[in-house]
């Protein structure tokens, strides 16, 4: 929180989201208000209604992005700060935002089926079935 200074509003939001591959994550986002261009006032306080609107927008955007991606792609969005930049751009339409970043991501529930293991098993089953059919065609 080294960006946090006096006379600004701190906006915290969190969302429980489900990825395409079945992981349930809790994503924490922090936003700080910023000054408008050529602003004369010292403070940059947002109204409560604006804060609620920004939180709602953040939750909707995070939920949308997580449901479209698997956990690996979603984690890349978070790590590369693409998600923070997108949230900042969308939230600045309601009130000017200085910094927006994903503070933390918790894994609440892992996927019951391991996708990699499932893919490996299906590949070995396909290979076994293919060799079986090759053997039967050679025998005839």
């Amino acid at each position: 929180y080294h960006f946090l200074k006096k006379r600004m509003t701190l906006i915290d939001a969190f969302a429980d989201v489900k990825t395409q591959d079945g992981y349930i994550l809790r994503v924490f986002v922090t936003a700080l208000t910023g000054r408008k261009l050529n602003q004369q006032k010292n403070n940059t306080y947002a109204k409560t209604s604006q804060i609620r609107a920004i939180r709602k927008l953040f939750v909707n955007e995070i939920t949308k992005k997580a449901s479209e991606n698997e956990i690996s792609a979603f984690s890349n969005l978070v790590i590369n700060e693409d998600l923070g930049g997108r949230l900042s751009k969308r939230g600045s339409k309601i009130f000017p935002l200085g910094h927006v970043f994903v503070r933390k991501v918790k894994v609440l529930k892992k996927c019951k089926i391991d996708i990699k293991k499932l893919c490996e098993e299906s590949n070995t089953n396909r290979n076994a079935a293919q060799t079986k059919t090759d053997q039967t065609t050679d025998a005839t």
Side-chain angles (χ1 to χ4, degrees):
Y1 291 108
H2 64 279
F3 300 115
L4 185 61
K5 296 178 182 171
K6 287 182 178 181
R7 300 182 189 97
M8 61 173 44
T9 303
L10 176 78
I11 302 168
D12 278 326
F14 70 93
D16 292 345
V17 296
K18 187 172 184 177
T19 60
Q20 262 187 347
D21 49 357
Y23 283 83
I24 298 176
L25 308 171
R26 182 169 288 155
V27 183
F28 295 91
V29 178
T30 299
L32 301 167
T33 57
R35 297 178 76 156
K36 295 177 187 173
L37 194 62
N38 300 324
Q39 180 175 331
Q40 298 297 317
K41 278 187 185 179
N42 263 349
N43 61 31
T44 55
Y45 297 127
K47 294 179 183 176
T48 309
S49 59
Q50 292 168 328
I51 293 171
R52 280 196 308 262
I54 290 172
R55 270 195 204 118
K56 186 176 179 182
L57 183 121
F58 283 1
V59 169
N60 290 340
E61 188 70 25
I62 293 168
T63 306
K64 180 181 164 192
K65 281 293 173 192
S67 63
E68 290 173 355
N69 296 310
E70 293 182 352
I71 192 162
S72 58
F74 185 72
S75 61
N76 284 337
L77 281 175
V78 171
I79 291 169
N80 297 336
E81 297 181 6
D82 293 338
L83 187 63
R86 188 176 179 83
L87 292 175
S88 178
K89 192 181 288 185
R90 298 278 311 271
S92 290
K93 293 178 182 177
I94 298 170
F95 193 87
L97 298 175
H99 298 283
V100 178
F101 48 93
V102 179
R103 185 169 39 102
K104 186 190 293 186
V105 178
K106 289 183 180 180
V107 178
L108 297 180
K109 199 172 205 182
K110 291 186 179 180
C111 181
K112 289 184 181 178
I113 301 171
D114 189 16
I115 302 297
K116 291 180 184 177
K117 196 181 233 184
L118 186 67
C119 290
E120 289 173 6
E121 288 176 7
S122 65
N123 286 338
T124 56
N125 290 342
R126 278 191 212 137
N127 292 339
Q130 190 173 20
T131 55
K132 228 181 224 184
T133 56
D134 290 343
Q135 290 173 357
T136 55
T137 55
D138 290 340
T140 54

